[in-house]
Amino acid sequence: MYAFAATLVLSATQVFAAGDTDNAIHAAATKYFSTKSDYRQGDVIRRSDLTGIIKLLDETGVPAKRFAALEDYIPADSSEIQRLNAGKKGKQFLRNLAGTPGGFAGVEDLASRPGGARDLRQLANSPGGDVMITYMTTTSGGRKMMQMTPKGKKTSKQEPRIYTESQLVQAMMQLSRIDAAPAAK
């Protein structure tokens, strides 16, 4: 048992010494999310999750402060999507949308429209409410319906958005590779 643990520590040290931050990022995210109760792969993440992963990376010696810039791409904790994510029915509603292309973006879009937050809460509390978001984000009829509704306030959302652990890990790896690329001559 102790030999296995020592091998893991040595392996991790060799990965970091070699500059392979991709493995370190993946390991830190996996470790962080494994400690969260009621978390499932594909759930909407919070900005505080990024902070937790950065803290784990800092502990391993991987320079991670640069990843804080990704915070603006994650929905704010005060956003409607995060309010939904905090409640049992809302979390299930979002989980039902996890595999829907543009599902989480559709939730944010609807939330930004007049009365949208109220409409989302109604959808989250209704059987099949997620089907309506799927319809609005994946069909031409649904997109036309959204075009007919009043537009929401201009939001300061950065594009593309980061909603899930896998999207966050990919963005962190991409940022790490950009930082590691040699400067153009």
Short mmCIF file of all heavy atoms in Angstrom, two decimals, residues 94-161:
data_model
loop_
_atom_site.label_atom_id
_atom_site.label_comp_id
_atom_site.label_asym_id
_atom_site.label_seq_id
_atom_site.Cartn_x
_atom_site.Cartn_y
_atom_site.Cartn_z
N LEU A 94 -31.24 21.10 -14.94
CA LEU A 94 -29.98 21.35 -15.64
C LEU A 94 -29.29 20.04 -16.03
O LEU A 94 -28.71 19.94 -17.11
CB LEU A 94 -29.05 22.21 -14.78
CG LEU A 94 -29.53 23.65 -14.58
CD1 LEU A 94 -28.67 24.36 -13.54
CD2 LEU A 94 -29.56 24.42 -15.89
N ARG A 95 -29.36 19.04 -15.17
CA ARG A 95 -28.77 17.74 -15.51
C ARG A 95 -29.46 17.14 -16.74
O ARG A 95 -28.81 16.51 -17.57
CB ARG A 95 -28.87 16.78 -14.33
CG ARG A 95 -27.84 17.07 -13.27
CD ARG A 95 -27.97 16.16 -12.08
NE ARG A 95 -26.86 16.41 -11.15
CZ ARG A 95 -26.83 15.97 -9.92
NH1 ARG A 95 -27.81 15.22 -9.44
NH2 ARG A 95 -25.80 16.25 -9.15
N ASN A 96 -30.77 17.35 -16.84
CA ASN A 96 -31.49 16.86 -18.01
C ASN A 96 -31.04 17.57 -19.28
O ASN A 96 -31.16 17.03 -20.37
CB ASN A 96 -33.00 17.02 -17.83
CG ASN A 96 -33.56 16.10 -16.77
OD1 ASN A 96 -32.93 15.15 -16.33
ND2 ASN A 96 -34.76 16.40 -16.32
N LEU A 97 -30.52 18.78 -19.14
CA LEU A 97 -30.06 19.56 -20.29
C LEU A 97 -28.58 19.34 -20.61
O LEU A 97 -28.09 19.84 -21.63
CB LEU A 97 -30.28 21.06 -20.04
CG LEU A 97 -31.73 21.53 -20.08
CD1 LEU A 97 -31.83 22.96 -19.60
CD2 LEU A 97 -32.27 21.39 -21.49
N ALA A 98 -27.88 18.62 -19.76
CA ALA A 98 -26.42 18.48 -19.90
C ALA A 98 -26.00 17.98 -21.27
O ALA A 98 -24.98 18.42 -21.80
CB ALA A 98 -25.87 17.58 -18.81
N GLY A 99 -26.75 17.10 -21.88
CA GLY A 99 -26.37 16.57 -23.19
C GLY A 99 -26.96 17.34 -24.36
O GLY A 99 -26.71 17.00 -25.51
N THR A 100 -27.69 18.39 -24.08
CA THR A 100 -28.33 19.18 -25.13
C THR A 100 -27.36 20.22 -25.66
O THR A 100 -26.89 21.07 -24.90
CB THR A 100 -29.59 19.90 -24.59
OG1 THR A 100 -30.50 18.93 -24.08
CG2 THR A 100 -30.26 20.73 -25.66
N PRO A 101 -27.05 20.18 -26.96
CA PRO A 101 -26.16 21.20 -27.52
C PRO A 101 -26.76 22.60 -27.30
O PRO A 101 -27.90 22.86 -27.67
CB PRO A 101 -26.11 20.87 -29.01
CG PRO A 101 -26.56 19.44 -29.11
CD PRO A 101 -27.51 19.22 -27.97
N GLY A 102 -26.00 23.45 -26.65
CA GLY A 102 -26.46 24.82 -26.40
C GLY A 102 -27.50 24.92 -25.30
O GLY A 102 -28.08 25.99 -25.10
N GLY A 103 -27.73 23.85 -24.55
CA GLY A 103 -28.75 23.85 -23.51
C GLY A 103 -28.48 24.86 -22.41
O GLY A 103 -29.36 25.64 -22.04
N PHE A 104 -27.26 24.87 -21.88
CA PHE A 104 -26.93 25.80 -20.81
C PHE A 104 -26.91 27.25 -21.32
O PHE A 104 -27.35 28.16 -20.64
CB PHE A 104 -25.60 25.45 -20.15
CG PHE A 104 -25.60 24.11 -19.44
CD1 PHE A 104 -24.47 23.33 -19.44
CD2 PHE A 104 -26.72 23.64 -18.79
CE1 PHE A 104 -24.45 22.10 -18.78
CE2 PHE A 104 -26.72 22.41 -18.13
CZ PHE A 104 -25.57 21.64 -18.12
N ALA A 105 -26.44 27.44 -22.54
CA ALA A 105 -26.47 28.78 -23.14
C ALA A 105 -27.91 29.23 -23.34
O ALA A 105 -28.23 30.41 -23.15
CB ALA A 105 -25.72 28.78 -24.47
N GLY A 106 -28.79 28.30 -23.71
CA GLY A 106 -30.20 28.62 -23.86
C GLY A 106 -30.83 29.06 -22.55
O GLY A 106 -31.66 29.98 -22.51
N VAL A 107 -30.43 28.42 -21.46
CA VAL A 107 -30.90 28.81 -20.13
C VAL A 107 -30.47 30.23 -19.82
O VAL A 107 -31.26 31.06 -19.38
CB VAL A 107 -30.41 27.82 -19.05
CG1 VAL A 107 -30.64 28.36 -17.65
CG2 VAL A 107 -31.09 26.47 -19.21
N GLU A 108 -29.19 30.53 -20.07
CA GLU A 108 -28.70 31.89 -19.81
C GLU A 108 -29.39 32.91 -20.70
O GLU A 108 -29.71 34.01 -20.26
CB GLU A 108 -27.18 31.96 -20.01
CG GLU A 108 -26.42 31.45 -18.83
CD GLU A 108 -24.99 31.93 -18.83
OE1 GLU A 108 -24.26 31.62 -19.80
OE2 GLU A 108 -24.61 32.62 -17.87
N ASP A 109 -29.61 32.55 -21.96
CA ASP A 109 -30.28 33.46 -22.89
C ASP A 109 -31.69 33.77 -22.41
O ASP A 109 -32.10 34.93 -22.33
CB ASP A 109 -30.30 32.87 -24.30
CG ASP A 109 -30.92 33.79 -25.33
OD1 ASP A 109 -30.92 35.03 -25.13
OD2 ASP A 109 -31.42 33.27 -26.34
N LEU A 110 -32.43 32.73 -22.07
CA LEU A 110 -33.80 32.94 -21.59
C LEU A 110 -33.81 33.75 -20.30
O LEU A 110 -34.65 34.63 -20.13
CB LEU A 110 -34.50 31.59 -21.39
CG LEU A 110 -35.98 31.65 -20.98
CD1 LEU A 110 -36.81 32.44 -22.00
CD2 LEU A 110 -36.53 30.25 -20.83
N ALA A 111 -32.87 33.50 -19.41
CA ALA A 111 -32.80 34.23 -18.14
C ALA A 111 -32.56 35.71 -18.34
O ALA A 111 -33.00 36.53 -17.54
CB ALA A 111 -31.70 33.64 -17.26
N SER A 112 -31.90 36.09 -19.44
CA SER A 112 -31.58 37.50 -19.68
C SER A 112 -32.76 38.28 -20.25
O SER A 112 -32.72 39.50 -20.31
CB SER A 112 -30.39 37.62 -20.62
OG SER A 112 -30.77 37.30 -21.95
N ARG A 113 -33.81 37.60 -20.64
CA ARG A 113 -34.96 38.24 -21.26
C ARG A 113 -35.97 38.69 -20.20
O ARG A 113 -36.01 38.13 -19.10
CB ARG A 113 -35.62 37.29 -22.26
CG ARG A 113 -34.68 36.99 -23.43
CD ARG A 113 -35.18 35.82 -24.26
NE ARG A 113 -34.20 35.49 -25.27
CZ ARG A 113 -34.23 35.95 -26.53
NH1 ARG A 113 -35.21 36.73 -26.92
NH2 ARG A 113 -33.30 35.61 -27.37
N PRO A 114 -36.79 39.68 -20.53
CA PRO A 114 -37.81 40.11 -19.57
C PRO A 114 -38.69 38.94 -19.14
O PRO A 114 -39.24 38.22 -19.98
CB PRO A 114 -38.63 41.15 -20.35
CG PRO A 114 -37.69 41.64 -21.42
CD PRO A 114 -36.82 40.46 -21.77
N GLY A 115 -38.80 38.71 -17.85
CA GLY A 115 -39.59 37.60 -17.32
C GLY A 115 -38.94 36.25 -17.46
O GLY A 115 -39.52 35.24 -17.08
N GLY A 116 -37.72 36.22 -17.98
CA GLY A 116 -37.05 34.95 -18.25
C GLY A 116 -36.72 34.15 -17.00
O GLY A 116 -36.84 32.92 -17.00
N ALA A 117 -36.31 34.83 -15.94
CA ALA A 117 -35.98 34.12 -14.70
C ALA A 117 -37.22 33.41 -14.17
O ALA A 117 -37.16 32.24 -13.75
CB ALA A 117 -35.42 35.07 -13.66
N ARG A 118 -38.34 34.08 -14.20
CA ARG A 118 -39.60 33.48 -13.76
C ARG A 118 -39.96 32.28 -14.64
O ARG A 118 -40.32 31.22 -14.16
CB ARG A 118 -40.72 34.52 -13.81
CG ARG A 118 -42.10 33.99 -13.41
CD ARG A 118 -43.25 34.87 -13.88
NE ARG A 118 -43.28 34.85 -15.34
CZ ARG A 118 -43.27 35.93 -16.11
NH1 ARG A 118 -43.22 37.13 -15.59
NH2 ARG A 118 -43.29 35.81 -17.43
N ASP A 119 -39.81 32.47 -15.96
CA ASP A 119 -40.11 31.38 -16.90
C ASP A 119 -39.22 30.17 -16.65
O ASP A 119 -39.69 29.03 -16.71
CB ASP A 119 -39.95 31.85 -18.35
CG ASP A 119 -40.96 32.92 -18.74
OD1 ASP A 119 -42.00 33.05 -18.05
OD2 ASP A 119 -40.71 33.62 -19.75
N LEU A 120 -37.95 30.41 -16.38
CA LEU A 120 -37.03 29.30 -16.11
C LEU A 120 -37.42 28.54 -14.85
O LEU A 120 -37.38 27.31 -14.83
CB LEU A 120 -35.59 29.80 -15.97
CG LEU A 120 -34.84 30.01 -17.27
CD1 LEU A 120 -33.51 30.68 -17.01
CD2 LEU A 120 -34.65 28.70 -17.99
N ARG A 121 -37.79 29.27 -13.80
CA ARG A 121 -38.21 28.59 -12.57
C ARG A 121 -39.44 27.73 -12.83
O ARG A 121 -39.56 26.62 -12.33
CB ARG A 121 -38.45 29.60 -11.46
CG ARG A 121 -37.15 30.15 -10.86
CD ARG A 121 -37.38 30.97 -9.63
NE ARG A 121 -38.17 32.16 -9.86
CZ ARG A 121 -37.70 33.32 -10.31
NH1 ARG A 121 -36.41 33.43 -10.59
NH2 ARG A 121 -38.49 34.35 -10.50
N GLN A 122 -40.37 28.26 -13.65
CA GLN A 122 -41.56 27.47 -14.00
C GLN A 122 -41.18 26.22 -14.79
O GLN A 122 -41.70 25.14 -14.54
CB GLN A 122 -42.56 28.32 -14.80
CG GLN A 122 -43.27 29.36 -13.95
CD GLN A 122 -44.17 30.27 -14.79
OE1 GLN A 122 -44.03 30.36 -16.00
NE2 GLN A 122 -45.09 30.94 -14.11
N LEU A 123 -40.28 26.39 -15.75
CA LEU A 123 -39.83 25.23 -16.54
C LEU A 123 -39.14 24.20 -15.66
O LEU A 123 -39.34 23.00 -15.82
CB LEU A 123 -38.90 25.67 -17.67
CG LEU A 123 -39.55 26.42 -18.83
CD1 LEU A 123 -38.48 26.97 -19.77
CD2 LEU A 123 -40.52 25.52 -19.59
N ALA A 124 -38.30 24.68 -14.73
CA ALA A 124 -37.57 23.76 -13.86
C ALA A 124 -38.51 22.99 -12.94
O ALA A 124 -38.22 21.86 -12.56
CB ALA A 124 -36.55 24.53 -13.02
N ASN A 125 -39.63 23.59 -12.61
CA ASN A 125 -40.60 22.94 -11.72
C ASN A 125 -41.68 22.17 -12.47
O ASN A 125 -42.58 21.61 -11.85
CB ASN A 125 -41.24 23.98 -10.79
CG ASN A 125 -40.26 24.46 -9.76
OD1 ASN A 125 -39.63 23.67 -9.08
ND2 ASN A 125 -40.12 25.76 -9.63
N SER A 126 -41.61 22.16 -13.79
CA SER A 126 -42.62 21.47 -14.60
C SER A 126 -42.03 20.20 -15.20
O SER A 126 -40.89 20.21 -15.68
CB SER A 126 -43.08 22.36 -15.75
OG SER A 126 -43.62 23.56 -15.27
N PRO A 127 -42.83 19.13 -15.22
CA PRO A 127 -42.34 17.92 -15.90
C PRO A 127 -42.11 18.23 -17.38
O PRO A 127 -42.95 18.85 -18.03
CB PRO A 127 -43.49 16.92 -15.74
CG PRO A 127 -44.38 17.48 -14.68
CD PRO A 127 -44.15 18.96 -14.65
N GLY A 128 -40.95 17.87 -17.89
CA GLY A 128 -40.64 18.11 -19.29
C GLY A 128 -40.22 19.53 -19.61
O GLY A 128 -40.09 19.90 -20.78
N GLY A 129 -39.97 20.35 -18.58
CA GLY A 129 -39.54 21.73 -18.83
C GLY A 129 -38.23 21.79 -19.60
O GLY A 129 -38.02 22.69 -20.43
N ASP A 130 -37.38 20.82 -19.38
CA ASP A 130 -36.10 20.78 -20.10
C ASP A 130 -36.31 20.52 -21.59
O ASP A 130 -35.51 20.96 -22.41
CB ASP A 130 -35.18 19.71 -19.51
CG ASP A 130 -35.84 18.34 -19.46
OD1 ASP A 130 -36.78 18.17 -18.66
OD2 ASP A 130 -35.42 17.46 -20.22
N VAL A 131 -37.42 19.85 -21.93
CA VAL A 131 -37.72 19.58 -23.34
C VAL A 131 -37.96 20.89 -24.08
O VAL A 131 -37.58 21.04 -25.25
CB VAL A 131 -38.93 18.62 -23.47
CG1 VAL A 131 -39.33 18.42 -24.92
CG2 VAL A 131 -38.61 17.29 -22.81
N MET A 132 -38.55 21.87 -23.40
CA MET A 132 -38.79 23.17 -24.01
C MET A 132 -37.47 23.88 -24.33
O MET A 132 -37.31 24.45 -25.41
CB MET A 132 -39.65 24.04 -23.10
CG MET A 132 -39.98 25.37 -23.71
SD MET A 132 -40.81 25.16 -25.29
CE MET A 132 -42.23 26.15 -25.04
N ILE A 133 -36.52 23.83 -23.41
CA ILE A 133 -35.21 24.44 -23.67
C ILE A 133 -34.53 23.70 -24.82
O ILE A 133 -33.94 24.32 -25.71
CB ILE A 133 -34.32 24.41 -22.40
CG1 ILE A 133 -34.95 25.23 -21.28
CG2 ILE A 133 -32.90 24.91 -22.72
CD1 ILE A 133 -35.01 26.73 -21.52
N THR A 134 -34.62 22.39 -24.83
CA THR A 134 -34.05 21.61 -25.93
C THR A 134 -34.67 22.03 -27.25
O THR A 134 -33.96 22.24 -28.24
CB THR A 134 -34.26 20.09 -25.69
OG1 THR A 134 -33.60 19.73 -24.47
CG2 THR A 134 -33.69 19.26 -26.82
N TYR A 135 -35.97 22.19 -27.27
CA TYR A 135 -36.67 22.63 -28.48
C TYR A 135 -36.15 24.01 -28.91
O TYR A 135 -35.85 24.23 -30.09
CB TYR A 135 -38.19 22.69 -28.23
CG TYR A 135 -38.96 23.33 -29.35
CD1 TYR A 135 -39.20 22.64 -30.54
CD2 TYR A 135 -39.47 24.63 -29.22
CE1 TYR A 135 -39.90 23.23 -31.58
CE2 TYR A 135 -40.17 25.22 -30.26
CZ TYR A 135 -40.39 24.52 -31.43
OH TYR A 135 -41.08 25.11 -32.46
N MET A 136 -36.01 24.93 -27.95
CA MET A 136 -35.60 26.30 -28.28
C MET A 136 -34.15 26.37 -28.77
O MET A 136 -33.81 27.27 -29.53
CB MET A 136 -35.78 27.22 -27.08
CG MET A 136 -37.24 27.43 -26.73
SD MET A 136 -37.55 28.64 -25.42
CE MET A 136 -36.52 28.10 -24.10
N THR A 137 -33.32 25.45 -28.36
CA THR A 137 -31.90 25.53 -28.72
C THR A 137 -31.49 24.62 -29.87
O THR A 137 -30.41 24.81 -30.43
CB THR A 137 -31.01 25.21 -27.50
OG1 THR A 137 -31.32 23.91 -27.01
CG2 THR A 137 -31.20 26.23 -26.40
N THR A 138 -32.32 23.64 -30.21
CA THR A 138 -31.88 22.67 -31.22
C THR A 138 -32.75 22.62 -32.48
O THR A 138 -32.41 21.89 -33.40
CB THR A 138 -31.80 21.24 -30.63
OG1 THR A 138 -33.11 20.85 -30.21
CG2 THR A 138 -30.82 21.17 -29.48
N THR A 139 -33.83 23.38 -32.51
CA THR A 139 -34.71 23.33 -33.69
C THR A 139 -34.85 24.72 -34.29
O THR A 139 -34.76 25.73 -33.58
CB THR A 139 -36.11 22.80 -33.35
OG1 THR A 139 -36.77 23.73 -32.50
CG2 THR A 139 -36.04 21.43 -32.68
N SER A 140 -35.10 24.78 -35.57
CA SER A 140 -35.29 26.08 -36.22
C SER A 140 -36.55 26.76 -35.68
O SER A 140 -36.57 27.98 -35.48
CB SER A 140 -35.35 25.94 -37.74
OG SER A 140 -36.44 25.13 -38.12
N GLY A 141 -37.61 25.99 -35.40
CA GLY A 141 -38.83 26.56 -34.84
C GLY A 141 -38.59 27.18 -33.47
O GLY A 141 -39.10 28.25 -33.16
N GLY A 142 -37.79 26.51 -32.66
CA GLY A 142 -37.46 27.03 -31.34
C GLY A 142 -36.62 28.30 -31.42
O GLY A 142 -36.84 29.25 -30.67
N ARG A 143 -35.66 28.32 -32.34
CA ARG A 143 -34.83 29.52 -32.50
C ARG A 143 -35.68 30.69 -33.00
O ARG A 143 -35.51 31.82 -32.55
CB ARG A 143 -33.66 29.23 -33.44
CG ARG A 143 -32.58 28.37 -32.77
CD ARG A 143 -31.35 28.22 -33.63
NE ARG A 143 -31.55 27.30 -34.74
CZ ARG A 143 -31.41 25.99 -34.68
NH1 ARG A 143 -31.07 25.43 -33.54
NH2 ARG A 143 -31.60 25.23 -35.72
N LYS A 144 -36.63 30.42 -33.89
CA LYS A 144 -37.54 31.48 -34.36
C LYS A 144 -38.39 31.98 -33.21
O LYS A 144 -38.62 33.19 -33.10
CB LYS A 144 -38.43 30.95 -35.49
CG LYS A 144 -37.70 30.80 -36.80
CD LYS A 144 -38.63 30.24 -37.88
CE LYS A 144 -37.84 29.95 -39.15
NZ LYS A 144 -38.68 29.28 -40.16
N MET A 145 -38.86 31.09 -32.37
CA MET A 145 -39.65 31.49 -31.22
C MET A 145 -38.84 32.41 -30.31
O MET A 145 -39.35 33.43 -29.83
CB MET A 145 -40.10 30.25 -30.44
CG MET A 145 -41.02 30.56 -29.27
SD MET A 145 -41.64 29.07 -28.48
CE MET A 145 -40.24 28.62 -27.48
N MET A 146 -37.57 32.08 -30.08
CA MET A 146 -36.72 32.92 -29.24
C MET A 146 -36.49 34.29 -29.89
O MET A 146 -36.40 35.29 -29.20
CB MET A 146 -35.38 32.24 -28.97
CG MET A 146 -35.48 31.08 -27.98
SD MET A 146 -36.02 31.57 -26.35
CE MET A 146 -34.52 32.27 -25.71
N GLN A 147 -36.41 34.34 -31.21
CA GLN A 147 -36.22 35.61 -31.90
C GLN A 147 -37.44 36.51 -31.76
O GLN A 147 -37.31 37.73 -31.82
CB GLN A 147 -35.91 35.38 -33.39
CG GLN A 147 -34.54 34.79 -33.62
CD GLN A 147 -34.31 34.41 -35.07
OE1 GLN A 147 -35.21 34.44 -35.90
NE2 GLN A 147 -33.08 34.00 -35.38
N MET A 148 -38.60 35.92 -31.56
CA MET A 148 -39.82 36.70 -31.42
C MET A 148 -40.00 37.28 -30.02
O MET A 148 -40.77 38.21 -29.83
CB MET A 148 -41.06 35.86 -31.78
CG MET A 148 -41.13 35.53 -33.25
SD MET A 148 -42.67 34.72 -33.68
CE MET A 148 -42.37 33.05 -33.11
N THR A 149 -39.31 36.74 -29.04
CA THR A 149 -39.44 37.25 -27.68
C THR A 149 -38.55 38.46 -27.51
O THR A 149 -37.53 38.61 -28.19
CB THR A 149 -39.07 36.17 -26.63
OG1 THR A 149 -37.71 35.83 -26.81
CG2 THR A 149 -39.96 34.95 -26.76
N PRO A 150 -38.94 39.37 -26.59
CA PRO A 150 -38.10 40.56 -26.37
C PRO A 150 -36.69 40.16 -25.96
O PRO A 150 -36.50 39.21 -25.20
CB PRO A 150 -38.80 41.29 -25.23
CG PRO A 150 -40.17 40.73 -25.19
CD PRO A 150 -40.11 39.34 -25.74
N LYS A 151 -35.73 40.84 -26.50
CA LYS A 151 -34.33 40.56 -26.17
C LYS A 151 -34.04 40.99 -24.74
O LYS A 151 -34.65 41.92 -24.22
CB LYS A 151 -33.37 41.32 -27.11
CG LYS A 151 -33.49 40.88 -28.55
CD LYS A 151 -32.88 39.54 -28.75
CE LYS A 151 -32.93 39.15 -30.21
NZ LYS A 151 -33.20 37.78 -30.43
N GLY A 152 -33.12 40.30 -24.16
CA GLY A 152 -32.71 40.64 -22.81
C GLY A 152 -31.72 41.79 -22.80
O GLY A 152 -31.34 42.30 -23.85
N LYS A 153 -31.35 42.18 -21.60
CA LYS A 153 -30.34 43.22 -21.46
C LYS A 153 -29.04 42.73 -22.07
O LYS A 153 -28.77 41.54 -22.09
CB LYS A 153 -30.07 43.52 -19.99
CG LYS A 153 -31.25 43.75 -19.13
CD LYS A 153 -30.80 43.92 -17.70
CE LYS A 153 -31.18 42.67 -16.95
NZ LYS A 153 -31.04 42.73 -15.55
N LYS A 154 -28.26 43.67 -22.53
CA LYS A 154 -26.92 43.30 -22.97
C LYS A 154 -26.19 42.77 -21.74
O LYS A 154 -26.20 43.39 -20.69
CB LYS A 154 -26.16 44.51 -23.52
CG LYS A 154 -26.54 44.89 -24.90
CD LYS A 154 -25.67 44.14 -25.85
CE LYS A 154 -25.91 44.67 -27.25
NZ LYS A 154 -25.48 43.80 -28.24
N THR A 155 -25.62 41.62 -21.88
CA THR A 155 -24.90 41.06 -20.76
C THR A 155 -23.41 41.13 -21.05
O THR A 155 -22.99 41.30 -22.18
CB THR A 155 -25.30 39.59 -20.52
OG1 THR A 155 -25.01 38.86 -21.71
CG2 THR A 155 -26.77 39.46 -20.19
N SER A 156 -22.64 41.03 -20.00
CA SER A 156 -21.18 41.09 -20.16
C SER A 156 -20.60 39.69 -20.26
O SER A 156 -19.45 39.47 -19.94
CB SER A 156 -20.57 41.84 -18.98
OG SER A 156 -20.86 41.16 -17.79
N LYS A 157 -21.43 38.75 -20.71
CA LYS A 157 -20.96 37.37 -20.81
C LYS A 157 -19.82 37.28 -21.82
O LYS A 157 -19.91 37.78 -22.92
CB LYS A 157 -22.09 36.44 -21.25
CG LYS A 157 -23.18 36.30 -20.24
CD LYS A 157 -24.19 35.30 -20.68
CE LYS A 157 -25.08 35.87 -21.74
NZ LYS A 157 -26.22 35.07 -22.07
N GLN A 158 -18.77 36.62 -21.41
CA GLN A 158 -17.67 36.34 -22.32
C GLN A 158 -18.05 35.12 -23.15
O GLN A 158 -18.74 34.23 -22.68
CB GLN A 158 -16.40 36.03 -21.52
CG GLN A 158 -15.89 37.17 -20.68
CD GLN A 158 -15.25 38.25 -21.52
OE1 GLN A 158 -14.70 37.98 -22.57
NE2 GLN A 158 -15.33 39.47 -21.06
N GLU A 159 -17.63 35.09 -24.38
CA GLU A 159 -17.88 33.92 -25.22
C GLU A 159 -16.55 33.26 -25.54
O GLU A 159 -15.57 33.95 -25.74
CB GLU A 159 -18.58 34.34 -26.51
CG GLU A 159 -19.97 34.91 -26.29
CD GLU A 159 -20.97 33.94 -25.66
OE1 GLU A 159 -20.80 32.72 -25.81
OE2 GLU A 159 -21.88 34.40 -25.00
N PRO A 160 -16.43 32.00 -25.64
CA PRO A 160 -17.45 31.01 -25.30
C PRO A 160 -17.55 30.87 -23.79
O PRO A 160 -16.63 31.22 -23.05
CB PRO A 160 -16.93 29.73 -25.93
CG PRO A 160 -15.45 29.89 -25.92
CD PRO A 160 -15.20 31.37 -26.09
N ARG A 161 -18.64 30.34 -23.32
CA ARG A 161 -18.88 30.17 -21.90
C ARG A 161 -18.33 28.82 -21.43
O ARG A 161 -18.19 27.88 -22.21
CB ARG A 161 -20.38 30.22 -21.62
CG ARG A 161 -21.03 31.49 -22.06
CD ARG A 161 -20.64 32.68 -21.24
NE ARG A 161 -21.43 32.68 -20.02
CZ ARG A 161 -21.08 33.32 -18.92
NH1 ARG A 161 -19.96 33.99 -18.87
NH2 ARG A 161 -21.85 33.28 -17.87
#
